[in-house]
Amino acid sequence: MARLSLSLLGSFQAVLDGRPITGFASDRMRALLAYLAVEAGRPHRREKLVGLLWPDWPEPSASTNLRNALSNLRKPSATGEAAAPVLLIDRETIQFSPAGDGWVDVHAFGALTRVEQPADRWKKDWALYRGPFLEGFSLKDSAPFEEWVQVTREQLERRCVEALARLAEHYEGAGDLGKACEAAWRAVDVAPWQEESHRRLMRLLALNGQRSVALTQYETCRHLLQRELGAEPTPETDALHRRILDGELRSPAEAAAPAALPHPKGRRRRIYPPG
């Protein structure tokens, strides 16, 4: 039996038994499959799916479209093999089967980002997060679906940033500030408007001896907040910036270095004549 794999973190990708599926008749078919796969924990009534994907269509036409989309999703693949029975369909409800032979990256990612997961496992499977949920995919004439995508995207981004923060903390505790900075950089890349991630990166950079980079990161954060949110950095971020600027946050090597002795006051350097 063929195995269906759906990758929705980043661009939409569907693979059946190792071969990409390219024969979707429409974006709504992809949207239907993505929604059912992510919301696989319960069956969904047909009228709800109609309202999600064809909100402005007359009910008879929208219901027909749903039936056609389901029929196409259940057709044999281009390889000649029947797809795994991943959809449970009856007259009233439809569900992505939890027991079916299907794999969805969103669920695998969710398992990895649970608080109880050890940091070393999370760092190995970072590749699951290829980018924002359904990046570049849109149904502009379906506001309910677009809203669902946005909410889901924000939830997954938040879980990703939280996992990366735990990973950075793990590396810092282990004394590996280089890898801690790497995890903090990734968190900023995932959610650049999250000020807390910028603060974490600034602090770790300063502790890793990269004071100038930390100060530059503050300016990056400030400009981004102004451009995207019309806001200034919080007092907490400004206070951290001042501490880095004043040299209060230093790397262990810098902190261990002996301070330079001041030149004795009132004492002139004696210059001896040659010869």
Side-chain angles (χ1 to χ4, degrees):
M1 182 178 292
R3 176 175 173 81
L4 176 67
S5 297
L6 288 176
S7 298
L8 309 175
L9 292 167
S11 60
F12 179 98
Q13 294 181 8
V15 175
L16 183 63
D17 204 23
R19 300 184 181 182
I21 302 175
T22 58
F24 291 101
S26 68
D27 281 342
R28 278 186 171 79
M29 281 182 60
R30 294 182 179 86
L32 175 61
L33 184 57
Y35 179 82
L36 292 172
V38 174
E39 305 292 342
R42 64 188 187 282
H44 302 274
R45 298 190 65 83
R46 287 175 177 258
E47 56 266 30
K48 177 183 177 181
L49 296 173
V50 164
L52 180 74
L53 299 173
W54 295 273
D56 299 323
W57 287 60
E59 194 280 331
S61 298
S63 296
T64 299
N65 288 337
L66 176 61
R67 287 195 299 271
N68 291 338
L70 290 171
S71 176
N72 287 329
L73 286 175
R74 299 179 73 181
K75 285 180 180 179
S77 71
T79 63
E81 298 179 86
V86 295
L87 297 182
L88 304 176
I89 302 174
D90 60 33
R91 297 187 63 178
E92 295 184 352
T93 65
I94 305 162
Q95 183 179 9
F96 192 92
S97 173
D101 193 18
W103 178 88
V104 184
D105 63 347
V106 170
H107 299 312
F109 177 77
L112 286 172
T113 55
R114 290 174 187 153
V115 174
E116 64 271 16
Q117 283 291 340
D120 57 350
R121 182 180 176 188
W122 163 240
K123 67 185 179 184
K124 293 177 182 178
D125 292 280
W126 162 252
L128 274 177
Y129 195 91
R130 296 180 298 117
F133 176 68
L134 287 180
E135 185 175 19
F137 186 91
S138 177
L139 291 182
K140 295 183 179 180
D141 58 349
S142 178
F145 179 80
E146 290 291 292
E147 181 179 358
W148 172 76
V149 169
Q150 185 61 34
V151 170
T152 304
R153 181 177 295 162
E154 290 173 358
Q155 291 173 345
L156 291 167
E157 285 177 349
R158 183 171 61 251
R159 293 170 72 174
C160 182
V161 169
E162 289 171 353
L164 285 167
R166 293 197 301 273
L167 186 59
E169 182 180 357
H170 165 78
Y171 280 129
E172 183 181 4
D176 194 334
L177 289 171
K179 290 185 177 179
C181 287
E182 181 183 352
W185 275 118
R186 287 176 172 174
V188 169
D189 288 340
V190 171
W193 50 85
Q194 190 175 102
E195 195 171 348
E196 183 180 356
S197 294
H198 287 274
R199 284 199 301 271
R200 181 180 302 107
L201 177 57
M202 289 165 57
R203 184 180 63 81
L204 288 170
L205 286 169
L207 292 175
N208 198 37
Q210 297 175 271
R211 179 171 172 267
S212 62
V213 182
L215 294 173
T216 299
Q217 188 60 34
Y218 169 80
E219 296 299 331
T220 298
C221 174
R222 185 169 66 87
H223 289 308
L224 189 146
L225 292 173
Q226 289 175 342
R227 185 181 72 247
E228 299 296 331
L229 304 176
E232 293 292 331
T234 62
E236 186 177 0
T237 303
D238 284 336
L240 176 61
H241 175 247
R242 285 193 297 272
R243 290 183 65 199
I244 297 172
L245 194 62
D246 294 341
E248 294 181 28
L249 287 179
R250 297 182 294 169
S251 69
E254 291 173 323
L261 295 176
H263 192 76
K265 291 183 178 180
R267 185 176 178 181
R268 295 185 178 181
R269 183 181 176 188
R270 181 175 296 178
I271 302 177
Y272 295 92

